[in-house]
């Protein structure tokens, strides 16, 4: 039987935007892996009337209801009372839980337990109790009228601990299907163009399915299959992933990878090569993305942020007459920057970026979004010109960094630059 779930996050602080609802993301990922469909996310404040309305709605459209938050000892922690009233369940006092809470205060907080924590020992009659080793609020699960209700604490570290220890085993017993997904990462094509290429296939797919997701500077395609086992799901997904890779060709830079920098780092390591960077408008963004990876020292020799023209000349050795003739934002300068970075660091290859990130054109009238990327290699120096238009400054920088890493990837894999 396929199960459908709704997640209700309780807390006025979520509605005010004071904190992000990370619990819903973690729960959705967990439920998906268990083969449980999550069709609705609901956020409701610490208001019993509105919470009751949300619970009543959820019980009529999902057979698994998971709440987070509202299990604390204060006056506005009303999740248990409200949910139990909606499901016709009485609250029962558990003395052993109260004893555990008192022990938690003594051992971890070195203080006596306040009297209001007694309400945390009140749980639905006949429920499965979920222990909370990192907090005072126990969780629970019960079934009412064919709906499985799970109540978990709101603090993320408590919720995740209880999810792994208690909720996942409980939910696993409800479903025999699992869901497996693969993310196919692309760069260089817009979402609308990718959708156009794959629309016919995607519109007729149900299981497995394929969907596009536009990230800030690239497009991700997620292929998903539901089956009785991971092996069966993988067999269903393999031809889908292969078809996408065939259709999109060199624009696919990896499957289930974290980003272009991770792909480039792996390729450099495999080939025993090193990289250097010379950055202007990206301000060290490429270097930061590479050095954020574990083991970066094995492939990255160093870089120069040459924001001023004088630094391009004095440190990277870009000829002054070239700068005078073509300007800092030009193909000749990008090539010379990359060659200079390769020379002064001793790296096998070097990539450079110079352009106009905005918000205004440069002194030569070059428009915002015009960027040149240079790549110096043992096989010669190459350059790519990009024009991203009047996008935001950070988006131009991110796109430029992606273009630079994409050139590195294409060179290392023998693709056309």
């Amino acid at each position: 039987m396929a199960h459908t779930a709704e997640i209700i996050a309780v807390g006025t602080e979520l509605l005010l935007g004071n904190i992000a609802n990370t619990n819903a993301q973690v729960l959705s990922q967990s439920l998906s892996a268990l083969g449980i469909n999550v069709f609705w996310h609901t956020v409701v404040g610490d208001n019993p009337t509105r919470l009751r309305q949300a619970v009543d709605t959820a019980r009529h459209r999902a057979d698994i209801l998971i709440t987070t938050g509202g299990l604390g000892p204060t006056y506005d922690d009303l999740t248990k009372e409200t949910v139990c009233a909606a499901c016709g369940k009485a609250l029962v006092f558990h003395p052993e839980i109260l004893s555990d809470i008192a022990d938690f205060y003594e051992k971890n907080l070195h203080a006596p337990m306040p009297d209001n924590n007694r309400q945390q020992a009140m749980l639905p009659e006949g429920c499965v109790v979920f222990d909370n080793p990192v907090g005072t609020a126990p969780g629970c699960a019960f079934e009412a009228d064919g709906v499985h209700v799970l109540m978990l604490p709101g603090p993320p570290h408590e919720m995740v601990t209880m999810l792994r220890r208690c909720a996942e085993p409980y939910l696993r017993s409800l479903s025999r299907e699992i869901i497996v997904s693969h993310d196919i990462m692309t760069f260089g094509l817009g979402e609308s163009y990718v959708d156009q290429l794959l629309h016919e296939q995607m519109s007729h797919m149900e299981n497995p399915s394929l969907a596009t997701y536009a990230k800030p500077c690239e497009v991700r395609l997620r292929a998903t299959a539901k089956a009785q086992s991971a092996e069966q799901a993988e067999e269903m997904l393999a031809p889908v992933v292969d078809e996408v890779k065939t259709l999109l060709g060199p624009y696919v830079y990896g499957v289930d990878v974290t980003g272009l920098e991770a792909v480039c780092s792996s390729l450099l390591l495999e080939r025993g090569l090193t990289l250097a960077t010379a950055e202007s408008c990206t301000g060290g963004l490429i270097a930061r993305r590479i050095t954020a990876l574990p083991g970066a020292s094995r492939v990255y020799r160093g870089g120069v942020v040459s924001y001023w023209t004088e630094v391009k000349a004095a440190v990277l050795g870009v000829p002054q007459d070239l700068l005078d003739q073509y300007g800092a934002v030009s193909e000749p300068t990008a090539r010379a920057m990359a060659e200079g970075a390769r020379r002064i660091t001793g790296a096998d290859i070097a990539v450079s970026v110079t352009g106009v990130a905005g918000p205004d054109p440069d002194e030569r009238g070059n428009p915002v979004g015009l960027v040149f990327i240079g790549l110096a290699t043992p096989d010669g120096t190459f350059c790519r010109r990009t024009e991203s238009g009047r996008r935001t400054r950070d988006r131009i920088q991110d796109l430029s960094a992606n273009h630079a890493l994409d050139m590195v990837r294409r060179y290392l894999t023998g693709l056309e630059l």
Side-chain angles (χ1 to χ4, degrees), residues 269-292:
L269 190 61
E270 289 173 10
R271 288 155 178 73
L273 300 175
T274 57
L275 173 71
T277 56
E279 302 183 63
S280 183
C281 65
T282 48
L285 177 59
I286 303 168
R288 183 181 64 80
R289 287 172 59 175
I290 294 172
T291 55

Side-chain angles (χ1 to χ4, degrees), residues 19 39 146 150 168 181 183 271 338 391:
I19 61 172
F39 287 164
L150 290 79
E168 285 182 349
S181 296
D183 287 338
R271 288 155 178 73
R391 304 191 185 203

Side-chain angles (χ1 to χ4, degrees), residues 344-362:
I344 65 175
T345 63
D348 296 297
I349 61 176
V351 67
S352 68
V353 180
T354 181
V356 186
D360 302 309
D362 69 1

Side-chain angles (χ1 to χ4, degrees), residues 79-102:
T79 298
K80 282 184 297 186
E81 292 84 344
T82 306
V83 172
C84 287
C87 298
K89 286 282 186 179
L91 284 168
V92 178
F93 176 64
H94 289 249
E96 73 283 3
I97 292 178
L98 187 64
S99 177
D100 290 341
I101 296 173

Side-chain angles (χ1 to χ4, degrees), residues 257-319:
V257 293
T258 57
L260 277 162
E261 60 272 19
V263 173
C264 290
S265 181
S266 295
L267 290 170
L268 288 164
L269 190 61
E270 289 173 10
R271 288 155 178 73
L273 300 175
T274 57
L275 173 71
T277 56
E279 302 183 63
S280 183
C281 65
T282 48
L285 177 59
I286 303 168
R288 183 181 64 80
R289 287 172 59 175
I290 294 172
T291 55
L293 300 170
S297 60
R298 290 180 289 178
V299 297
Y300 183 66
R301 290 187 70 94
V304 176
V305 178
S306 54
Y307 215 66
W308 277 30
T309 301
E310 290 85 348
V311 178
K312 293 178 175 65
V315 179
L316 291 172
V318 178

Side-chain angles (χ1 to χ4, degrees), residues 325-377:
Q325 181 177 357
Y326 297 102
V329 180
S330 64
E331 178 173 333
T333 297
R335 288 174 175 269
M337 287 171 62
E339 291 167 354
R342 182 170 181 247
R343 182 180 62 256
I344 65 175
T345 63
D348 296 297
I349 61 176
V351 67
S352 68
V353 180
T354 181
V356 186
D360 302 309
D362 69 1
E363 67 279 358
R364 289 186 174 236
N366 289 313
V368 174
L370 175 63
V371 177
F372 293 91
I373 297 100
L375 182 68
T377 77

